[in-house]
Amino acid sequence: MTSLSPYDNLTPVTRTAYRARSAAADLAPLPRSVKDDALLAIADALEVRTQEIIKANGEDVERAREAGTSEAIIDRLTLTPERVRAIAADVRDVAALPDPVGEVVRGSTLPNGIDLRQVRVPLGVVGIIYEARPNVTVDAAALCLKSGNAVLLRGSSSAYSSNTALVRVLRDAVGGAGLPADAVQLVPGENRDSVRELMRARGLVDVLIPRGGASLIRTVVEESTVPVIETGTGNCHVYVDAETDLDMAVDILINSKAQRPSVCNAAETLLVHQDIAAAFLPRALDALAEAGVTVHADERVLEFAEAAGGTKATVVAATAEDWETEYLSYDIAAAVVDSLEAAVAHIRLWSSGHTEAIVTTSQAAARRFTQLVDSTTVAVNVSTRFTDGGQFGFGAEIGISTQKLHARGPMGLPELTSTKYIVTGDGHTR
Amino acid sequence: MTSLSPYDNLTPVTRTAYRARSAAADLAPLPRSVKDDALLAIADALEVRTQEIIKANGEDVERAREAGTSEAIIDRLTLTPERVRAIAADVRDVAALPDPVGEVVRGSTLPNGIDLRQVRVPLGVVGIIYEARPNVTVDAAALCLKSGNAVLLRGSSSAYSSNTALVRVLRDAVGGAGLPADAVQLVPGENRDSVRELMRARGLVDVLIPRGGASLIRTVVEESTVPVIETGTGNCHVYVDAETDLDMAVDILINSKAQRPSVCNAAETLLVHQDIAAAFLPRALDALAEAGVTVHADERVLEFAEAAGGTKATVVAATAEDWETEYLSYDIAAAVVDSLEAAVAHIRLWSSGHTEAIVTTSQAAARRFTQLVDSTTVAVNVSTRFTDGGQFGFGAEIGISTQKLHARGPMGLPELTSTKYIVTGDGHTR
């Protein structure tokens, strides 16, 4: 029997991936109780070793401050004892969730007597490429371990000390619980080359999930030969139909846009049916102004804004670029459309396919909009802000997939699994 | 309202994809009856226009003959009235299958009263890149239409006349049934550049499925920015456990290897537990010899072959390369392993992850093998030849995915769909 392996000549990055692959093979058949014990050990260790984590985090924060980083980003980077406790609590919540592995997705006895079962299995090795927030390190590791996967963590260099300390704690806890410590690893190297190597580690890494800004996601999607799950770009629309409850429409618009503008499920474009524009737009523009939102208006919305005169809204003329912009700020593009079909056509042309809401009292319009719009989530008389794993009751979320393959919309634990078929017979041949 | 589109400056290939995308939007909301009518119209048209199809096919066959193509390949390329009738019958079978679109995959009422439903929707535009057999043209188009997808067909240049004639018939029938003819299109251009453009048409094409040889599949997997479903490479293993029924083991081995060696679910490697080797190998080598199979043996199998002396088997020494070879011929690699775990380790190292069979009378061994082996299909006392959409009762098969994302194993109609969430409320805000 040979011993030559297809995995000779490994680099530091691919060696990390290779070790993750071995760990994944050990993790896959483990029952829930073993995985849960490891998660609880992680939560305990985070609390016991909080000082060590915060000290390392302090180095990152200091470096960020010296580099003149904005206070908002420094706030997202900073860990406090309270925040570490909250992260530990989240890990315990993940432990309490049902284990997706082993679920029989489909099963039957074939006409020839063979028993066919399709069962959930872990994906194997999951690579997460993410930006500054160190809580993602623990969060992603917990979700991957719970679903029986090994995880390769590639955080940003700005959180390198924090991530190194966190992964040390995670690995100690995982190893202490009798699982292979290599199930959780930081990808070595701080520069772009290590990301590039990770993206080329097809066969060693089963999926890459980029979490962060649009440019990071685009790079991974375009350059990776490892399968990618695209997450998080949200150019979400609110369409106010001809027949609508005006109060509800204003509420949903303001909540979708302004409750938390920096997230992917916030609305970025308002589309208004021409028959309701005269009744709706003056109220909507006032409410948007009150919420501090700048409106990037097409010609017809501009006319209403000018006619209203006394409106407090900040309204500027929209350019084509506005229709495809994910502002993530107190800005919204707005247009009047001739019909529901015109709204759908606008969405089809410009949307990133995340979430589109219709506000309507018409059952026919609701039905038609949900049939015609093809996004991860179509919301009827519901704010776009509900597209979220927590809100959907998944208990956890590794990201929101905006692609159509494998997973679409908020991804919970089942989305971190694949399946295999088990066929059992009594010597069946063809 | 603007009219500038992100889809200006299209090339012939991307224009084809753009038209498919528009057609897909029209197809998505269609009910089953409309799609089935189009499929039945296709079946009728294939029968009515058989002569036109066979004439075009004759041109391809003549060209292939002039180029000195082997008779086996010419046979696969050739269409006869009988074969066209069989293709039409297959289309009617697809029409009779249930429609996956609209199926509610998950549904609940959230604590806040929002109704959540996850429903199956078409993927959108499916690109199929395939080799010489013109029946794939019709087969793939029928499966895509049934599941509400538009299809871009990129066959080999050796079948160009046949494919052109078939797609003309398909488009006429689809258009005649009131569906957009652009739901079925041949990708223009006969050279590699058009394949390359198709692989870069991210945003216009939702998924690419390469069907054909390993090098075609590798190229698409490595170069495509459009998501790919990898299909069909099968380095399948038969493992004969220490405790086994020898007759059953010989039957399954011979059926797995020799019933149809040219297909991806045929076995390529035999692994034998050392405790059963002396009892099993002489019989297995005889049976393989009788079936005309050459055995590429490791040292321990070679010893048994030499000891047997009188065996009729053709046995040669294996090299490391044999462990990863998908012969697709009357050849099999063979090794003796120390244990079930050693068999699993061998499979983990060398398998393409398609199908692995164990032959055992031990419940513990069956359970352990199915837990540890991570391939699309794990077969217990069943020939590897059963990994097949038809055998699994899916009614149709677009290919066998050997990847973990989206679909794994035989892919039927549900695997040609994605999902979307529909959330319905009464003005819910956060």
Side-chain angles (χ1 to χ4, degrees):
Chain A
M1 185 111 176
T2 182
S3 63
L4 185 83
S5 153
Y7 301 112
D8 294 340
N9 303 317
L10 295 171
T11 67
V13 171
T14 52
R15 190 170 309 120
T16 305
Y18 181 71
R19 288 204 309 256
R21 191 168 175 270
S22 301
D26 293 340
L27 282 184
L30 292 180
R32 171 175 177 169
S33 59
V34 177
K35 293 183 284 187
D36 286 355
D37 286 350
L39 291 173
L40 298 177
I42 286 174
D44 292 346
L46 288 169
E47 290 181 341
V48 170
R49 294 168 70 176
T50 298
Q51 282 317 311
E52 173 187 343
I53 294 162
I54 286 179
K55 183 160 171 285
N57 180 250
E59 294 165 22
D60 289 331
V61 170
E62 197 176 332
R63 254 206 323 274
R65 222 161 238 136
E66 279 165 16
T69 308
S70 78
E71 278 307 313
I73 288 174
I74 285 179
D75 180 59
R76 292 174 70 166
L77 177 63
T78 303
L79 292 174
T80 62
E82 202 169 44
R83 286 182 178 183
V84 173
R85 259 200 308 280
I87 292 171
D90 285 345
V91 174
R92 291 194 182 96
D93 288 346
V94 171
L97 291 173
D99 184 351
V101 173
E103 186 198 342
V104 178
V105 176
R106 170 153 54 175
S108 63
T109 301
L110 303 178
N112 57 12
I114 289 177
D115 284 322
L116 176 77
R117 277 182 301 148
Q118 184 184 22
V119 299
R120 280 202 192 283
V121 295
L123 283 169
V125 178
V126 178
I128 318 267
I129 304 175
Y130 56 104
E131 290 175 345
R133 297 167 64 160
N135 62 311
V136 173
T137 305
V138 181
D139 193 33
L143 291 170
C144 287
L145 286 174
K146 176 78 189 191
S147 50
N149 295 293
V151 65
L152 293 175
L153 297 158
R154 207 328 181 147
S156 77
S157 52
S158 64
Y160 190 75
S161 300
S162 315
N163 289 338
T164 303
L166 286 167
V167 168
R168 196 165 52 225
V169 172
L170 292 172
R171 288 171 58 89
D172 289 350
V174 167
L179 269 58
D182 283 343
V184 182
Q185 292 178 87
L186 214 54
V187 176
E190 289 188 60
N191 62 20
R192 283 266 153 170
D193 287 351
S194 71
V195 177
R196 196 150 291 126
E197 270 195 72
L198 195 60
M199 295 193 295
R200 298 272 150 187
R202 194 178 173 95
L204 289 174
V205 181
D206 292 292
V207 61
L208 282 183
I209 305 177
R211 285 179 60 168
S215 103
L216 166 70
I217 291 166
R218 199 177 322 114
T219 301
V220 177
V221 160
E222 280 175 10
E223 296 187 14
S224 182
T225 58
V226 173
V228 175
I229 298 180
E230 198 176 346
T231 66
T233 312
N235 177 12
C236 304
H237 294 69
V238 172
Y239 165 62
V240 178
D241 188 46
E243 297 175 44
T244 203
D245 176 321
L246 290 174
D247 290 335
M248 189 191 288
V250 170
D251 282 354
I252 286 179
L253 168 64
I254 298 302
N255 187 259
S256 297
K257 175 68 256 181
Q259 195 247 349
R260 197 172 165 203
S262 64
V263 291
C264 63
N265 60 18
E268 306 292 8
T269 299
L270 165 68
L271 300 173
V272 181
H273 192 291
Q274 59 181 358
D275 293 352
I276 199 86
F280 177 69
L281 273 176
R283 290 187 54 182
L285 293 173
D286 272 356
L288 287 167
E290 218 151 283
V293 176
T294 300
V295 178
H296 302 253
D298 79 336
E299 281 179 24
R300 292 160 83 180
V301 173
L302 275 178
E303 278 169 32
F304 278 104
E306 280 158 19
T311 179
K312 296 161 289 182
T314 310
V315 180
V316 299
T319 65
E321 215 176 290
D322 283 297
W323 310 124
E324 60 181 341
T325 299
E326 186 185 11
Y327 298 110
L328 299 172
S329 61
Y330 288 93
D331 292 87
I332 194 165
V336 172
V337 293
D338 291 345
S339 62
L340 183 147
E341 285 70 21
V344 169
H346 180 108
I347 288 167
R348 195 174 288 163
L349 197 55
W350 299 108
S351 173
S352 64
H354 189 298
T355 299
E356 331 297 346
I358 180 173
V359 191
T360 186
T361 55
S362 157
Q363 167 64 9
R367 186 167 150 82
R368 191 141 177 78
F369 191 80
T370 52
Q371 279 175 342
L372 295 182
V373 169
D374 186 28
S375 294
T376 80
T377 306
V378 185
V380 179
N381 296 336
V382 168
S383 166
T384 58
R385 292 277 293 114
F386 283 98
T387 304
D388 174 274
Q391 293 294 327
F392 279 11
F394 299 169
E397 180 186 287
I398 191 90
I400 296 178
S401 162
T402 49
Q403 68 182 32
K404 292 185 185 175
L405 240 56
H406 185 71
R408 197 174 191 208
M411 291 188 288
L413 290 170
E415 283 72 23
L416 286 173
T417 65
S418 181
T419 58
K420 69 181 175 193
Y421 287 98
I422 299 173
V423 293
T424 309
D426 316 292
H428 286 75
T429 55
R430 281 179 76 178
Chain B
M1 183 110 181
T2 181
S3 63
L4 185 82
S5 154
Y7 302 111
D8 293 341
N9 303 317
L10 295 171
T11 67
V13 171
T14 53
R15 190 171 308 119
T16 304
Y18 181 72
R19 287 204 309 255
R21 191 168 175 271
S22 302
D26 294 339
L27 282 184
L30 293 180
R32 170 175 177 169
S33 59
V34 177
K35 293 183 284 188
D36 286 355
D37 285 350
L39 290 173
L40 298 177
I42 285 174
D44 292 347
L46 288 168
E47 291 181 341
V48 170
R49 293 168 69 176
T50 298
Q51 282 317 312
E52 173 186 344
I53 293 162
I54 286 179
K55 183 159 171 285
N57 178 251
E59 294 166 21
D60 289 330
V61 170
E62 196 176 332
R63 255 204 323 275
R65 220 159 241 138
E66 279 164 15
T69 309
S70 77
E71 277 307 311
I73 288 174
I74 285 178
D75 180 59
R76 292 172 71 164
L77 178 63
T78 303
L79 292 174
T80 62
E82 202 170 42
R83 286 182 178 182
V84 173
R85 258 199 309 278
I87 292 170
D90 285 345
V91 174
R92 291 195 182 97
D93 288 346
V94 170
L97 290 173
D99 184 351
V101 173
E103 187 198 343
V104 178
V105 175
R106 170 154 54 177
S108 64
T109 301
L110 302 177
N112 57 11
I114 289 177
D115 284 322
L116 176 76
R117 277 181 301 146
Q118 184 184 23
V119 299
R120 279 200 193 285
V121 296
L123 283 169
V125 178
V126 178
I128 318 266
I129 304 176
Y130 55 104
E131 291 176 343
R133 296 167 63 161
N135 62 311
V136 173
T137 305
V138 180
D139 193 32
L143 291 170
C144 287
L145 286 173
K146 176 78 190 191
S147 50
N149 295 293
V151 65
L152 293 175
L153 297 156
R154 210 319 182 154
S156 75
S157 52
S158 63
Y160 190 75
S161 300
S162 314
N163 289 338
T164 303
L166 284 167
V167 168
R168 196 166 53 226
V169 172
L170 291 172
R171 287 173 57 90
D172 288 351
V174 166
L179 268 60
D182 283 343
V184 182
Q185 292 179 86
L186 214 54
V187 176
E190 288 188 61
N191 62 21
R192 284 264 154 170
D193 288 350
S194 72
V195 176
R196 195 150 291 125
E197 270 195 72
L198 194 60
M199 295 193 294
R200 298 272 149 187
R202 194 178 172 95
L204 289 174
V205 180
D206 292 291
V207 61
L208 282 183
I209 305 177
R211 286 179 60 167
S215 102
L216 166 71
I217 291 167
R218 198 177 324 113
T219 302
V220 176
V221 160
E222 281 176 8
E223 296 187 16
S224 182
T225 59
V226 173
V228 174
I229 298 180
E230 198 177 346
T231 66
T233 311
N235 177 12
C236 303
H237 294 68
V238 173
Y239 165 63
V240 179
D241 187 45
E243 298 175 44
T244 201
D245 177 321
L246 291 173
D247 290 336
M248 188 192 287
V250 171
D251 282 354
I252 286 180
L253 169 65
I254 298 302
N255 187 259
S256 297
K257 175 68 253 180
Q259 196 246 350
R260 198 173 164 202
S262 64
V263 292
C264 63
N265 59 17
E268 308 291 9
T269 299
L270 165 68
L271 300 174
V272 182
H273 192 291
Q274 59 180 0
D275 293 352
I276 198 86
F280 177 69
L281 273 175
R283 290 188 54 182
L285 293 172
D286 273 355
L288 287 166
E290 217 151 283
V293 176
T294 299
V295 179
H296 303 252
D298 79 337
E299 283 179 23
R300 292 160 84 180
V301 173
L302 275 179
E303 278 169 33
F304 279 104
E306 281 159 19
T311 179
K312 297 162 288 183
T314 311
V315 181
V316 299
T319 65
E321 215 176 289
D322 283 297
W323 310 123
E324 61 181 340
T325 300
E326 185 186 13
Y327 299 109
L328 299 173
S329 61
Y330 286 94
D331 291 87
I332 195 165
V336 172
V337 292
D338 291 344
S339 61
L340 184 148
E341 284 70 22
V344 169
H346 181 108
I347 288 167
R348 196 176 286 162
L349 197 55
W350 298 109
S351 173
S352 65
H354 190 298
T355 299
E356 330 299 345
I358 181 174
V359 191
T360 187
T361 54
S362 157
Q363 166 65 7
R367 186 167 151 81
R368 191 141 178 79
F369 191 80
T370 52
Q371 278 175 343
L372 294 182
V373 169
D374 186 29
S375 294
T376 80
T377 306
V378 185
V380 179
N381 297 337
V382 168
S383 166
T384 60
R385 291 277 294 114
F386 283 97
T387 304
D388 173 274
Q391 293 294 328
F392 278 11
F394 299 169
E397 180 186 287
I398 191 91
I400 296 178
S401 162
T402 50
Q403 69 181 33
K404 293 186 185 174
L405 241 56
H406 184 70
R408 197 175 191 207
M411 291 189 286
L413 290 170
E415 283 73 23
L416 286 173
T417 65
S418 181
T419 59
K420 69 181 176 193
Y421 287 99
I422 298 173
V423 293
T424 310
D426 317 293
H428 286 75
T429 56
R430 282 179 76 178

